[in-house]
Amino acid sequence: MINIIHGDMLDVLRSLPDASVDCVATDPPYGETSLEWDRWPAGWPERLLRVLKPTGSMWVFGSLRMFFDHLPEFVGWQMSHEVIWEKQNGTGFFTDRFRRVHEMAVHFYPSASRWADIYKAPQMTLDARARVIRKKAKPAQWQGERGATVYRSEDGGPRLVRSVIFAPNEHGRALHPTQKPSVLVAPLLRYACPVGGVVLDPFAGSGTTGVVARECGMQAILIEKNAAFVDVIRQRLDDDAPLLRRAAE
Ligand SMILES: C[S@@+](CC[C@H](N)C(=O)[O-])C[C@H]1O[C@@H](n2cnc3c(N)ncnc32)[C@H](O)[C@@H]1O
């Protein structure tokens, strides 16, 4: 079940029960543009601890600058590791630095929990050297893994998925200015949430987390403050439904 909630995440979180969520996966407003919705709600990371199961964890997209700026607000969280999203082209605003072609997704778990007790499913591939999505592979309508990652290693043995994941950004087809590619989000959710578990995205945007969660057989709670983006989430979930049914046949 995908539950879409229109509202401010700080208000909505109050209505969610304690320890009801297996994993948080979110892409907060980085607070790096003048866009109306790009405002970091003060203290949000700490508010999520209550609703997370003690075995749960959290993926947060962001820039290194964003994490440094808000470090004290991650009180109660322990960082475990990070994944780098490498894009095909840059989105930076500056011409006096290196061309920025990456973003990060950082994985946290509650400081009150033991790492050994945190749910985690290390992701495997048949070719850990593969860094690009094969151009020849048929592009999937659903921007997921179908047709996008066909891997085979020389010895045929599975390897851990690399911490640098190349995925084209969604420019040209996105319904949200910062829409994340499903192919990038899928391994993060699979790593942190069991099948049938509940993923919470308190900054849902166009609902990528919900689209991927449903594809992976998980439930999701999506919170979004902007009514126009809530409509986009509904549209994406409706549009993808026949596609997902066809894929299952
Ligand atoms: C970076 S975008 C998320 C994009 C998303 N990952 C996607 O793939 O479409 C952050 C979203 O958080 C929403 N937002 C900002 N402040 C919020 C708040 N206090 N409560 C709920 N949503 C909020 C914004 O409207 C925006 O759509």
Side-chain angles (χ1 to χ4, degrees):
M1 194 187 72
I2 310 295
N3 188 1
I4 305 165
I5 305 175
H6 178 206
D8 188 308
M9 55 86 70
L10 292 177
D11 298 331
V12 176
L13 280 179
R14 288 191 200 103
S15 65
L16 298 185
D18 291 356
S20 53
V21 160
D22 290 273
C23 140
V24 175
T26 199
D27 176 22
Y30 294 10
E32 292 177 352
T33 71
S34 57
L35 292 167
E36 175 273 327
W37 54 263
D38 192 15
R39 304 274 181 282
W40 176 280
W44 68 262
E46 201 182 351
R47 305 283 191 92
L48 289 163
L49 285 163
R50 181 186 63 78
V51 299
L52 192 67
K53 293 180 183 175
T55 51
S57 63
M58 169 167 85
W59 284 107
V60 183
F61 277 98
S63 64
L64 192 57
R65 179 183 298 277
M66 181 199 93
F67 286 109
F68 273 133
D69 284 350
H70 297 285
L71 215 48
E73 295 177 63
F74 285 85
V75 61
W77 291 99
Q78 187 76 37
M79 183 199 149
S80 71
H81 63 302
E82 77 281 359
V83 163
I84 304 295
W85 169 28
E86 184 191 354
K87 314 173 195 183
Q88 84 279 31
N89 55 23
T91 50
F93 312 110
F94 303 107
T95 53
D96 56 354
R97 315 175 185 194
F98 287 85
R99 189 158 64 92
R100 187 177 166 74
V101 293
H102 75 282
E103 286 178 41
M104 298 163 69
V106 179
H107 185 243
F108 297 90
Y109 64 99
S111 308
S113 299
R114 288 184 334 142
W115 174 244
D117 297 332
I118 301 299
Y119 175 87
K120 41 190 144 18
Q123 295 297 290
M124 307 303 285
T125 171
L126 289 178
D127 185 359
R129 295 167 310 151
R131 75 172 277 285
V132 293
I133 292 170
R134 285 191 184 171
K135 291 248 174 6
K136 280 187 191 152
K138 196 163 170 275
Q141 259 180 299
W142 179 76
Q143 296 301 313
E145 295 139 312
R146 271 199 306 281
T149 46
V150 183
Y151 296 137
R152 183 145 309 276
S153 62
E154 277 165 21
D155 64 7
R159 310 268 206 293
L160 284 171
V161 168
R162 291 159 48 103
S163 62
V164 177
I165 298 178
F166 177 85
N169 60 30
E170 301 282 283
H171 289 173
R173 52 177 178 265
L175 299 170
H176 188 288
T178 63
Q179 190 169 317
K180 296 294 174 285
S182 299
V183 69
L184 171 72
V185 174
L188 306 185
L189 295 197
R190 289 208 180 99
Y191 176 85
C193 187
V195 171
V198 179
V199 182
L200 168 65
D201 185 348
F203 301 105
S206 65
T208 307
T209 303
V211 171
V212 175
R214 188 172 63 176
E215 183 75 5
C216 295
M218 300 159 187
Q219 306 177 67
I221 301 169
L222 309 176
I223 306 173
E224 173 54 52
K225 191 177 174 181
N226 184 313
F229 293 146
V230 170
D231 289 343
V232 169
I233 299 175
R234 296 209 171 100
Q235 183 194 327
R236 275 188 87 188
L237 287 166
D238 282 352
D239 284 354
D240 280 354
L243 183 71
L244 296 172
R245 273 202 297 277
R246 273 205 305 278
E249 283 163 8

